[in-house]
Amino acid sequence: MKGVAFFSGGKDGLYAVHLAERNGIEVPYLLALKTTIGLSPHWENFSALKTLADAMGKELLTFDMSRGSEALAEFIASLEVDYLIAGDVLLEDHLRWIERLAEEAGVKPLEPLWGRNTKELAEEILNAGFEYAIIAVNREKLGKEWLGYTFRSVADLELFLERNPGVDPVGEFAEFHTVVLASPLFEGRFALEILSTEESERYHWVRFELRNEKR
């Protein structure tokens, strides 16, 4: 069984891939979307997505959403996979979109994180060996001093939540976005090298590179 996974370089999507592979599903393709609903800090750091995909030995595919969901379903169908994998947790509208997209593409939707308690999920991701850093913060919900903050342990998570009690532990409501620096999906570890801090209508975000680091 094979799958294609939506991919932004963030923790939720990659943890979904990790769980899928643990359940015997091969995931040869990672799919990054160029959105039409404003600036994406992930897409703006596309070279980092390529770095992560290469580290995992997976093929990075892209799709421009200006072509529409119907064309996206046709593209997914052309990959001849069995599953469409995503890392949604609580957002019903996005889950329904994934389900419709999968049906149109003739594949099964797989949302292994769906419905989880987000505090427990964040702890589970960290305990599984994932490390990740914040690359964007919602200007209305988090200060830009949290850009670059790195979660390496549950202690880092606890400190973050203590300082930001109103923020979801996995940033499910777009309070923040992340990039994975270490995981069971690839060997070694990356360091986040911030090149500049930027501002958009919605986010404070960073341009960055991922630099190989020895464990």
Side-chain angles (χ1 to χ4, degrees):
M1 305 293 277
K2 292 185 179 181
V4 56
F6 282 125
F7 175 63
S8 68
K11 66 191 180 315
D12 301 338
L14 281 187
Y15 191 58
V17 171
H18 174 62
L19 294 180
E21 292 190 334
R22 282 180 56 187
N23 283 288
I25 299 170
E26 182 186 354
V27 186
Y29 305 119
L30 301 173
L31 178 56
L33 301 180
K34 182 179 182 181
T35 69
T36 58
I37 52 174
L39 179 141
S40 165
H42 298 287
W43 187 266
E44 293 295 321
N45 287 288
F46 186 80
S47 63
L49 304 190
K50 187 69 168 64
T51 296
L52 286 174
D54 288 347
M56 291 182 280
K58 299 183 184 301
E59 184 174 353
L60 178 58
L61 308 174
T62 62
F63 185 86
D64 189 335
M65 285 305 298
S66 65
R67 296 171 57 191
S69 290
E70 184 177 338
L72 175 57
E74 292 175 358
F75 178 72
I76 292 169
S78 74
L79 300 175
E80 299 184 348
V81 295
D82 305 288
Y83 291 94
L84 174 61
I85 302 161
D88 299 301
V89 186
L90 299 174
L91 300 181
E92 290 274 355
D93 288 348
H94 204 266
L95 174 70
R96 301 295 170 238
W97 180 69
I98 295 291
E99 291 175 337
R100 290 194 302 271
L101 191 62
E103 182 178 4
E104 292 170 7
V107 300
K108 297 175 184 177
L110 181 60
E111 291 269 18
L113 313 187
W114 181 253
R116 294 288 306 277
N117 175 289
T118 54
K119 174 73 160 27
E120 293 176 359
L121 176 60
E123 292 174 350
E124 183 178 303
I125 291 171
L126 289 163
N127 287 331
F130 281 74
E131 299 176 12
Y132 51 91
I134 294 176
I135 61 164
V137 296
N138 186 309
R139 295 172 56 180
E140 296 180 356
K141 299 179 180 181
L142 269 176
K144 64 181 178 180
E145 67 271 13
W146 290 99
L147 290 170
Y149 184 80
T150 300
F151 300 81
R152 294 190 176 92
S153 68
V154 172
D156 295 322
L157 174 67
E158 295 287 358
L159 175 62
F160 176 77
L161 295 178
E162 179 183 325
R163 302 281 179 85
N164 302 284
V167 172
D168 183 81
V170 296
E172 177 66 357
F173 304 102
E175 298 99 328
F176 62 93
H177 294 275
T178 64
V179 65
V180 170
L181 303 177
S183 83
L185 294 165
F186 53 85
E187 295 182 357
R189 173 188 281 113
F190 292 101
L192 181 74
E193 185 175 333
I194 294 177
L195 304 178
S196 64
T197 300
E198 310 287 345
E199 188 173 314
S200 69
E201 183 176 347
R202 188 174 187 185
Y203 297 113
H204 292 295
W205 59 282
V206 295
R207 294 190 187 278
F208 66 91
E209 291 180 352
L210 294 179
R211 179 169 44 82
N212 273 306
E213 211 178 58
K214 291 183 179 179
R215 280 191 181 274

